[in-house]
């Protein structure tokens, strides 16, 4: 239940994609809760049952983003976004820069961070499956309901309709990503002899990398004199570089639960700051006040969880291939 709630909380509320004023849209709230909550549970369960390493988990998380934004809300293909805004970087009926930015966002903030935080809260249960076969079926059904509501919302809010080729391309992308995830079952081998950075350093890197990624949202809608292909390739290279750095850090002696917690906190605070920018421009006082309530709750949650993690004590029973530890 904690994981079920954490995914929509971090993925939607911290970043102000869903705000206090949106409570008047109960259908949207239901869609977010069902799709995000059930989706992250399914991904975590598949990763655990199949013994996937961090790359496998990340591939499933990206597939989640493609399914939501490509086939559900259809923003990857819609030339006018969800609210009539023009999307920068469109070619061959695809919003390429937006596709990279939004799928990366969902992979990190909607899937990976909630899983890592839940494993930190319940460390003794992180190596086991959590759902029985019957519950797995129920969760899959909830996920399907959430997806169906997203499709309904998209059809109501926009006149845009996916073409047959866009549907085929989106489905193919999801299938390839899921297939690729299944090829990432071997645990990461070897431990580095280099010194592990401090937990504070990991937190600052999480904050800086998160904020840099979220700034790409601005480029995706405002545009830039540089060709969108340059921005898209730069975003992909930046994501690969950050993932590679985290992969190396995970393998170093001294990597601990405190490092994981601080890295998550940095990325979440970057998302909160970006959300503050959005609600401030929205002009509604209730949304701004609620956003600071979210910050207070985040701070309390971090301090509580920080008290449960020791500063320099690596997980004795963790290994680099564990999705709880891997970036």
């Amino acid at each position: 239940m904690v994981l079920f709630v954490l995914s929509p909380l971090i993925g939607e509320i911290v970043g102000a994609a869903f705000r206090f004023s949106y409570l008047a849209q109960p259908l949207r709230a239901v869609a977010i809760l069902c799709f995000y909550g059930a989706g992250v549970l399914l991904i975590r369960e598949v990763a655990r049952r199949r013994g996937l390493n961090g790359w496998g988990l990340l591939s499933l998380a990206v597939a989640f983003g493609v399914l939501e934004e490509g086939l559900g809300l259809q923003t990857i293909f819609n030339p006018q976004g969800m609210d009539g805004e023009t999307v920068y970087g469109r070619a061959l009926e695809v919003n390429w820069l937006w596709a990279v930015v939004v799928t990366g966002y969902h992979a990190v903030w909607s899937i990976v961070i909630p899983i890592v935080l839940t494993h930190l809260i319940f460390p003794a249960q992180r190596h086991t499956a959590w759902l029985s076969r019957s519950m797995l079926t129920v969760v899959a059904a909830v996920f399907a309901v959430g997806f169906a509501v997203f499709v309904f919302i998209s059809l109501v809010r926009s006149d845009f309709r996916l073409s047959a080729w866009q549907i085929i391309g989106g489905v193919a992308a999801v299938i390839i990503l899921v297939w690729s995830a299944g090829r990432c079952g071997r645990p990461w081998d070897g431990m580095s002899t280099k010194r592990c950075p401090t937990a504070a350093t990991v937190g600052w890197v999480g904050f800086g990398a998160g904020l840099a990624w979220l700034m790409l949202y601005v480029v995706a809608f405002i545009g830039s004199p540089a060709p969108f292909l340059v921005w898209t390739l730069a975003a992909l290279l930046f994501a690969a570089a950050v993932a590679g750095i985290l992969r190396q850090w995970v393998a170093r002696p001294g990597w601990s639960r405190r490092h994981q917690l601080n890295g998550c906190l940095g990325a979440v605070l970057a998302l909160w700051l970006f959300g503050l920018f959005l609600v401030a421009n929205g002009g509604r006082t209730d949304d701004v006040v609620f956003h600071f309530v979210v910050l207070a709750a985040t701070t309390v949650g971090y301090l509580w969880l920080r008290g449960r993690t020791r500063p320099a004590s690596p997980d004795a029973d963790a290994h680099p291939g564990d999705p709880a530890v891997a970036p």
Side-chain angles (χ1 to χ4, degrees):
M1 290 305 299
V2 169
L3 181 56
F4 186 90
V5 173
L6 268 182
S7 180
L9 281 179
I10 296 175
E12 290 290 299
I13 294 179
V14 172
F18 189 87
R19 310 170 192 179
F20 182 80
S21 59
Y22 293 175
L23 291 176
Q25 305 174 18
L27 192 63
R28 184 174 180 178
V30 169
I32 290 172
L33 189 63
C34 291
F35 188 82
Y36 282 68
V40 73
L41 277 175
L42 290 175
I43 289 175
R44 193 263 172 199
E45 200 70 8
V46 169
R48 177 53 57 213
R49 288 172 180 261
R50 296 294 301 273
L52 303 184
N53 59 26
W55 300 125
L57 175 66
L58 193 59
S59 293
L60 292 177
V62 173
F64 171 92
V66 173
L67 185 64
E68 178 185 359
E69 301 292 344
L71 300 174
L73 296 175
Q74 305 173 10
T75 63
I76 289 177
F77 301 109
N78 191 339
Q80 298 301 319
M82 281 293 293
D83 299 306
E85 64 278 275
T86 301
V87 183
Y88 170 72
R90 181 174 177 81
L92 301 176
E93 299 186 346
V94 177
N95 303 319
W96 293 102
L97 178 58
W98 172 248
V100 171
V101 173
V102 76
T103 54
Y105 167 84
H106 285 303
V108 173
W109 281 279
S110 302
I111 302 298
V112 174
I113 288 179
I115 290 176
V116 172
L117 289 176
T118 305
H119 284 182
L120 291 176
I121 297 172
F122 304 100
Q125 287 80 31
R126 70 185 182 278
H127 296 303
T128 60
W130 293 345
L131 302 176
S132 64
R133 289 193 176 185
S134 59
M135 278 304 300
L136 198 59
T137 302
V138 171
V139 171
V142 172
F143 180 70
V145 169
F147 177 75
V149 177
F150 269 145
V151 172
F152 174 76
I153 292 174
S154 177
L155 295 177
V156 169
R157 293 182 61 181
S158 173
D159 294 330
F160 175 78
R161 299 294 181 265
L162 291 174
S163 68
W165 287 111
Q166 289 170 331
I167 295 174
I168 293 172
V171 172
V174 172
I175 292 175
I176 291 171
L177 286 164
V178 172
W179 176 84
S180 300
R183 311 295 294 178
C184 301
R186 187 175 65 179
W188 287 335
D189 298 323
M191 291 291 290
S192 172
T193 57
K194 294 183 179 180
R195 185 177 180 180
C196 185
T198 65
T201 298
V202 175
W204 281 112
V205 169
F207 178 80
L211 201 58
W213 189 262
L214 292 165
M215 289 301 100
L216 292 172
Y217 269 69
V218 180
V219 178
F221 287 102
I222 294 180
S224 165
F228 78 89
L229 183 61
V230 174
W231 281 100
T232 304
L233 292 176
L236 290 171
L237 290 174
F238 177 74
V242 173
I245 291 172
L246 289 177
R247 166 67 183 91
Q248 293 180 14
W249 286 353
V250 166
R252 294 181 182 180
W255 181 262
S256 68
R257 295 196 296 155
R258 179 64 61 83
H259 288 83
Q260 299 170 52
L261 176 61
N262 281 22
C264 290
L265 175 70
V268 169
L269 288 180
L271 180 60
W272 180 88
L273 192 62
F274 182 73
L276 179 62
F277 167 76
L278 295 180
V279 296
N281 282 298
R284 288 189 61 111
T285 304
D286 54 348
D287 286 339
V288 175
V289 171
F290 179 74
H291 202 62
F292 276 96
V293 171
V294 171
L295 175 63
T298 301
T299 303
V300 171
Y302 167 75
L303 293 175
W304 173 77
L305 194 50
R306 188 175 187 272
R308 293 167 58 91
T309 60
R310 289 176 291 181
S313 177
D315 293 328
D317 55 346
H319 57 79
D322 184 358
V325 182

